[in-house]
Amino acid sequence: RTRERLKLGLRWGPVTLPLNAERIWLKMCAFPMTAVLQRFALIALAICVATATADAQLIGGTLAISGPGCRFPDVAYGNVSRQYLVVWADYSGSAVRIWGALLRGDGTAVAAPFSISEAGFAGLFPAVAFNAANNEFLVTWDDGGDRGGVIFGQRVRGSDGALLGVNFPIGSVYGGIRSAVAWSPTSAQYLVVFWGPGPPGNTAPEVYGQRVN
């Protein structure tokens, strides 16, 4: 009966084995096992086969998103409007600025790319997270030194990419760089982390965090 189930690819309890596992399973059955041990062995075999045969599949070709002169992208998905926000640093102008673009689930652009950091101030290494409660993204980046050398942020509406308010400083550590950001639906807060110089008298860098509502 076990052989028949394996040949037909039928489900035994919560486990389904592909047809090519029959030979391995029959060899395992040559050893004395209780029904419980057989069940555990079958589950283990199913996991091993699935792990060995699983493949990531590429969908379509590579997408051109930003245009030339751009680096250091990050991306987050908004599950309210069902769109991605891709952000990057654009080096094509006189000052490096943070730009973004909304993409649909199939990778097509919702609209043309738009600037996120304000003109006249350099920005580098953006990061982005999504807040489902307000259908908004928070984008953070390194200040180029023109506005105090701290991490800056900007809220972006998830439906159409409109900027909500203005760029604002995050944290108070001069020289803070390489931010990362995450949203907590439990506390209804973002946590922005970055690293920068240690306190006076300590030259070793440290990791810092700043909560944002």
Side-chain angles (χ1 to χ4, degrees):
R1 187 178 180 186
T2 299
R3 187 186 187 101
E4 290 174 355
R5 287 178 178 269
L6 288 169
K7 282 185 175 179
L8 295 174
L10 296 177
R11 182 172 296 275
W12 185 11
V15 180
T16 300
L17 283 180
L19 301 181
N20 61 3
E22 177 190 2
R23 184 176 303 174
I24 301 172
W25 173 247
L26 292 177
K27 287 183 178 181
M28 293 171 65
C29 287
F31 297 92
M33 289 188 290
T34 66
V36 173
L37 286 178
Q38 279 189 345
R39 188 169 186 79
F40 277 113
L42 184 61
I43 292 172
L45 179 58
I47 293 172
C48 290
V49 171
T51 302
T53 58
D55 270 331
Q57 299 295 322
L58 303 183
I59 303 172
T62 300
L63 304 172
I65 297 174
S66 70
C70 301
R71 309 176 194 174
F72 311 118
D74 195 18
V75 61
Y77 180 71
N79 59 8
V80 177
S81 297
R82 299 181 181 180
Q83 298 177 149
Y84 298 96
L85 176 61
V86 183
V87 296
W88 62 85
D90 187 336
Y91 283 72
S92 62
S94 57
V96 182
R97 293 182 63 186
I98 306 303
W99 282 66
L102 287 174
L103 302 183
R104 300 181 182 89
D106 62 1
T108 58
V110 174
F114 54 92
S115 59
I116 295 175
S117 63
E118 295 166 353
F121 304 102
L124 294 164
F125 303 108
V128 59
F130 179 68
N131 165 1
N134 296 333
N135 191 19
E136 70 171 27
F137 297 92
L138 176 62
V139 182
T140 64
W141 63 88
D142 300 3
D143 173 57
D146 308 301
R147 293 192 281 185
V150 298
I151 299 298
F152 264 74
Q154 174 66 56
R155 301 176 193 274
V156 179
R157 191 159 59 203
S159 58
D160 58 4
L163 302 188
L164 303 173
V166 298
N167 296 178
F168 61 95
I170 298 173
S172 58
V173 177
Y174 179 84
I177 57 175
R178 306 299 192 277
S179 61
V181 56
W183 166 259
S184 167
T186 303
S187 62
Q189 296 175 346
Y190 297 97
L191 178 63
V192 180
V193 295
F194 53 93
W195 67 273
N202 181 4
T203 58
E206 295 187 14
V207 173
Y208 299 91
Q210 176 66 59
R211 293 179 298 163
V212 179
N213 62 18

